[in-house]
């Protein structure tokens, strides 16, 4: 939980709710928490308790060296046959730190003015070390993000659009135990989240969520190799206020010939094994209608963002598809 920012209060609420999660003996729910008003801590949470495993000196929790060190410590202290990772913080998908000023557009994990970029986040995680990565964060269902993480985890749970507060914590108590089954019930987890959002009122009933099987990413890449996305104005976007940063992956390649469109559709369906979205997304706050939701997004280079275009060319996804 990267909360050394304006999410400090959210972290406090989330830890209190995680305390009520019940899971089997021998399982552990560990929370690395950094907020603006307390030192970073590693907590053992759940089954009606919160205990401090370790406290750390004040530092930069968005530093990948710190992130990797905590991972290593967890594996030493809590050896287990499998691990999953949930991340709560501000996020902006693949975009580099400081590249775009705006609310909730901050790469992944923020600590004050510092941000961790996706390549550094991926490098801090050992290949094959995670069953899943669950992002309780905005804009993390990008093909670019999934590609960086495909060797790290078998599954990714993420949102194409922003993740509307209060996020997942209203259903932690009923949804989190599904992650502690012998085979994590990620689809069941997603359905619990979707059902909760459907009960919310007004703008808060806005959701996009996907369950991505990383084994299916190679086939998508094979179909799209050398192909350029379409810049039509009506391509489904998942940005509020028409920022033009996160477009639906399938809709963004509407310019492909019919046979390739069919192949792309099939590849995405095999990769995105569950998806859910509301019909509208925060319509009174610069939002949008969701007419199409494949479960993955992509960036489409634009003259509006020359700096982002250059940064995009450095991503592994771009290099392996277009160079």
């Amino acid at each position: 939980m990267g909360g050394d920012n304006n999410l400090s209060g959210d972290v406090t609420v989330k830890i209190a709710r995680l305390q009520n999660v019940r899971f089997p003996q021998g399982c552990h729910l560990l929370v690395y928490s950094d907020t603006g008003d307390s030192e970073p801590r590693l907590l053992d949470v759940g089954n009606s308790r919160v205990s401090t495993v370790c406290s750390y000196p004040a530092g930069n929790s968005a530093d990948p060296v710190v992130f990797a060190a905590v991972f290593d410590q967890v594996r030493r202290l809590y050896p287990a046959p499998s691990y999953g990772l949930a991340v709560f913080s501000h996020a902006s998908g693949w975009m580099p730190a400081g590249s775009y000023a705006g609310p909730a557009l901050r790469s992944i994990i923020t600590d004050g003015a510092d941000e961790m970029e996706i390549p550094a986040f991926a490098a801090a995680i050992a290949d094959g070390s995670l069953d899943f990565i669950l992002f309780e964060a905005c804009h993390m269902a990008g093909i670019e993000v999934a590609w960086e993480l495909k060797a790290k985890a078998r599954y990714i749970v993420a949102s194409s659009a922003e993740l509307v507060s209060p996020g997942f914590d209203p259903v932690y108590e009923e949804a989190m135990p599904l992650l502690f089954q012998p085979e994590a019930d990620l689809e069941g987890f997603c359905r619990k989240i979707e059902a909760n959002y459907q009960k919310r009122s007004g703008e808060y009933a806005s959701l996009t969520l996907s369950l991505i099987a990383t084994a299916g990413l190679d086939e998508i890449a094979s179909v799209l190799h050398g192909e350029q996305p379409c810049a039509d104005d009506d391509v489904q976007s998942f940005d509020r206020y028409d920022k033009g940063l996160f477009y639906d992956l399938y809709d963004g390649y509407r310019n492909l010939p019919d046979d390739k469109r069919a192949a792309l559709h099939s590849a995405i369906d095999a990769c995105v094994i569950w998806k859910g979205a509301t019909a509208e997304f925060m319509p009174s706050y610069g939002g949008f209608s969701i007419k199409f939701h494949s479960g993955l997004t992509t960036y489409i280079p634009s003259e509006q963002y020359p700096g982002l275009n250059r940064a995009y060319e450095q991503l592994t996804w771009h290099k392996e598809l277009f160079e």
Side-chain angles (χ1 to χ4, degrees), residues 227-248:
E227 301 287 352
Q228 295 292 337
C230 175
D232 288 357
D233 290 340
D234 61 344
V235 170
Q236 177 71 57
S237 171
F238 292 98
D239 306 285
R240 287 191 297 142
Y241 302 106
D242 297 320
K243 292 186 179 76
L245 295 168
F246 302 95
Y247 291 95
D248 187 84

Side-chain angles (χ1 to χ4, degrees), residues 45-296:
V45 183
N47 290 337
S48 302
R49 77 186 193 287
V50 176
S51 59
T52 299
V53 177
C54 185
S55 296
Y56 307 91
N60 178 12
S61 294
D63 184 337
V65 174
V66 173
F67 187 62
V70 173
F71 255 110
D72 289 341
Q73 183 180 33
V74 165
R75 284 192 288 265
R76 290 196 308 271
L77 294 177
Y78 297 88
S82 65
Y83 297 88
L85 170 66
V87 180
F88 170 72
S89 191
H90 285 303
S92 61
W94 67 269
M95 291 197 298
S99 65
Y100 188 87
L105 294 172
R106 303 181 179 89
S107 197
I108 179 65
I109 304 180
T110 67
D111 187 303
D114 295 302
E115 309 169 29
M116 189 188 306
E117 297 180 351
I118 288 299
F121 175 79
I125 303 171
D127 287 358
S129 61
L130 296 171
D131 281 349
F132 61 86
I133 302 175
L134 190 160
F135 288 109
E136 190 173 357
C138 303
H139 295 301
M140 296 306 291
I143 187 71
E144 305 89 354
V145 173
W147 193 256
E148 291 283 349
L149 298 173
K150 69 188 182 86
K152 312 299 176 177
R154 293 192 296 145
Y155 300 101
I156 296 170
V157 175
S159 172
S160 294
E162 293 168 80
L163 191 72
V164 178
S165 181
F168 301 162
D169 61 72
V171 288
Y172 276 167
E173 193 168 349
E174 56 182 297
M176 291 294 286
L178 298 174
L179 306 180
F180 290 93
Q181 296 182 7
E183 180 73 19
D185 183 3
L186 292 164
E187 182 173 335
F189 178 92
C190 290
R191 291 186 183 279
K192 293 282 187 184
I193 301 303
E194 181 185 44
N196 180 259
Y197 269 84
Q198 288 174 342
K199 295 176 184 176
R200 299 182 189 184
S201 60
E203 309 298 316
Y204 294 97
S206 299
L207 176 71
T208 59
L209 198 63
S210 310
L211 172 55
I212 301 158
T214 56
L217 293 167
D218 286 337
E219 183 59 28
I220 294 175
S222 177
V223 174
L224 293 181
H225 190 271
E227 301 287 352
Q228 295 292 337
C230 175
D232 288 357
D233 290 340
D234 61 344
V235 170
Q236 177 71 57
S237 171
F238 292 98
D239 306 285
R240 287 191 297 142
Y241 302 106
D242 297 320
K243 292 186 179 76
L245 295 168
F246 302 95
Y247 291 95
D248 187 84
L249 179 66
Y250 181 72
D251 204 29
Y253 282 87
R254 58 170 63 176
N255 54 325
L256 294 179
D258 289 347
D259 58 337
K260 277 219 162 185
R261 280 280 280 172
L264 178 60
H265 190 279
S266 178
I268 292 176
D269 274 358
C271 182
V272 180
I273 56 180
W274 182 92
K275 61 187 177 185
T278 52
E280 301 290 330
F281 195 94
M282 301 190 75
S284 299
Y285 293 87
F288 48 87
S289 296
I290 301 179
K291 299 175 182 177
F292 200 91
H293 176 238
S294 70
L296 284 164

Side-chain angles (χ1 to χ4, degrees), residues 284-318:
S284 299
Y285 293 87
F288 48 87
S289 296
I290 301 179
K291 299 175 182 177
F292 200 91
H293 176 238
S294 70
L296 284 164
T297 65
T298 189
Y299 176 69
I300 299 178
S302 164
E303 293 180 358
Q304 184 180 2
Y305 299 117
L308 283 181
N309 296 343
R310 290 190 294 271
Y312 193 70
E313 292 173 357
Q314 303 306 309
L315 290 177
T316 306
W317 169 254
H318 186 276

